[in-house]
Amino acid sequence: MVQDFGIRSSYLSRRLRLTTLIRLRWLAVAGQSIAVLFVALYLKFPFPVSICFALIACSAWLNLLMSFRYPINHRLEPRAAITVLGFDILQVAGLLYMTGGLQNPFAVLMIVPVIISATSLPAYATAALGLLVTICATVLAYVYLPLPWYPDESMQLPLVLIAGVWCSVVSALVFTAVYAYRVAEEARLLADALAATELILQREQHLSALDGLAAAAAHELGTPLATIALVAKEMERSLKQDDRFAEDIDLLRSQTERCREILKRLTSLSSASEEHMSRLKISSLIEEVIEPNRNFGINIKVTKLRGEGNEPVIRRNPGIIYGLGNLVENAVDFARETIEVNWGWTDKTVEIVISDDGKGFAPDILDRIGEPYTTGRDRETREHGGGLGLGLFIAKTLLERSGATITFRNRNDPGQGAEVVVIWPRHKLVAETS
């Protein structure tokens, strides 16, 4: 379910918002118009002003068409977005053709639509638009009208310098597109992972609230059920001698009593749960986390390291239970034979250490463990599925929200097993879970 949620979120995040594109194009229209007017009226350089304004008007017309044709929050499909951004590239290339080709200092603006694509569209879309820019830049290196210049002078850059401009445009295109894509992709992954974290926590909290709902339902149903019982009793008195209704009245009264018993059990279950299950000791928390992982053929050793004073008692926290459970599950997945859960507390801290005898974390990604969709172990050692990607990120996020500090490390050398250390300040753990 979390994986499906991530896929849907990633799909939506790769659809470009039409409003954003329209606003950017209006900015481009304004900038292009100012540049043309400045060169024509202030510098008085001769060039085909009317054709340039015709190209600018095409962009403005496309903006108006899309504004009236689609709702304000419409998101473009990738193919539609490629078409629109491709038009922008060709429009800028047309303006450059009229004003000196790659000799024009604004030639670098051809890469702007590619950068927009890199932040919002799939990689194939960015690659296609990048290829279009490269083709346009190559053509403009050889085919163009003269660069606007003073009437009695001519400006013609050497071919070597034009080739240098071509190289700068293409290199800037590749670098900025790759950089923007990587930054946007990491932001998307982080946003999807955080959204999945919120979904997991919301579901856990919903489950913990069911007892309260049961108590509320029992309380609300008590009054109408008492009314039904009273009516059934009056009917029994009035129709006691009528054999036609005697059996039905007995059935009605018996089922009413049965409903009363069910509601009584719900009420008692809720109160017992509130009293005995809402607060628990650290040892009980660890046992609850470990229990679902005991039947996978891996020996789980639980050891209390130290304990100063009374054992901490905390309120049940779905985030802590899920986070620790995910760490234990990962240890079971990658262990050869045994995992160890060592725990203890002092008057200042509460510590839980989860270690296994597997191959350990890969040294080259040890510092990145806990980032979304980062896998840090050899998948061949898995036996029960799962991995160190989104699940571990969710676990780390939930535990850090409760005030914990989490450290991932290898026990000794790589290949000797992995170790995860979770430490809470004692006062903050109690405060966060109270």
Side-chain angles (χ1 to χ4, degrees), residues 31-41 47-49 52-53 56 95 99:
Q32 292 168 359
S33 300
I34 292 173
V36 170
L37 290 173
F38 179 81
V39 174
L41 301 180
F47 68 100
V49 178
C52 290
F53 271 115
I56 295 173
L95 289 174
T99 55

Side-chain angles (χ1 to χ4, degrees), residues 50-105:
S50 58
I51 299 179
C52 290
F53 271 115
L55 290 173
I56 295 173
C58 288
S59 286
W61 176 82
L62 180 61
N63 253 10
L64 292 174
L65 176 64
M66 292 192 299
S67 297
F68 288 109
R69 175 66 177 80
Y70 298 102
I72 190 171
N73 290 323
H74 179 71
R75 289 185 178 271
L76 295 173
E77 295 287 345
R79 290 185 179 180
I82 292 174
T83 302
V84 173
L85 292 175
F87 168 83
D88 291 336
I89 293 172
L90 293 175
Q91 190 258 0
V92 174
L95 289 174
L96 292 174
Y97 169 78
M98 296 292 171
T99 55
L102 290 190
Q103 298 182 77
N104 191 312

Side-chain angles (χ1 to χ4, degrees), residues 356 358-361 363 366 409-419:
D356 62 69
K359 292 186 177 181
F361 299 116
L366 190 57
R409 64 193 183 196
N410 289 316
R411 299 178 72 174
N412 293 308
D413 298 323
Q416 298 298 316
E419 190 170 74

Side-chain angles (χ1 to χ4, degrees), residues 336-351:
R336 293 188 178 95
E337 296 179 356
T338 305
I339 74 167
E340 298 179 5
V341 180
N342 300 320
W343 62 284
W345 73 89
T346 65
D347 58 343
K348 295 183 179 180
T349 63
V350 177
E351 179 179 356

Side-chain angles (χ1 to χ4, degrees), residues 117-140:
S117 172
T119 60
S120 305
L121 298 177
Y124 73 85
T126 303
L129 293 172
L131 179 61
L132 179 60
V133 169
T134 304
I135 294 173
C136 291
T138 304
V139 172
L140 290 172

Side-chain angles (χ1 to χ4, degrees), residues 76 104 129 133 157-158 163 179 193-194 200 214 224 240 270 311 315 317 352 367:
L76 295 173
N104 191 312
L129 293 172
V133 169
L157 297 180
Y179 182 81
L194 287 174
I200 289 291
K240 186 174 182 180
S270 178
E311 180 177 348
R315 184 171 295 278
N317 185 309
I352 298 176
D367 293 336

Side-chain angles (χ1 to χ4, degrees), residues 102-181:
L102 290 190
Q103 298 182 77
N104 191 312
F106 293 102
V108 71
L109 292 179
M110 282 193 298
I111 72 173
V112 172
V114 182
I115 298 174
I116 296 174
S117 172
T119 60
S120 305
L121 298 177
Y124 73 85
T126 303
L129 293 172
L131 179 61
L132 179 60
V133 169
T134 304
I135 294 173
C136 291
T138 304
V139 172
L140 290 172
Y142 297 99
V143 182
Y144 53 88
L145 297 181
L147 179 71
W149 203 247
Y150 295 103
D152 298 332
E153 302 178 18
S154 62
M155 170 62 70
Q156 179 64 42
L157 297 180
L159 183 60
V160 174
L161 188 55
I162 294 177
V165 174
W166 183 91
C167 291
S168 68
V169 170
V170 174
S171 60
L173 166 70
V174 174
F175 175 78
T176 54
V178 172
Y179 182 81
Y181 178 81

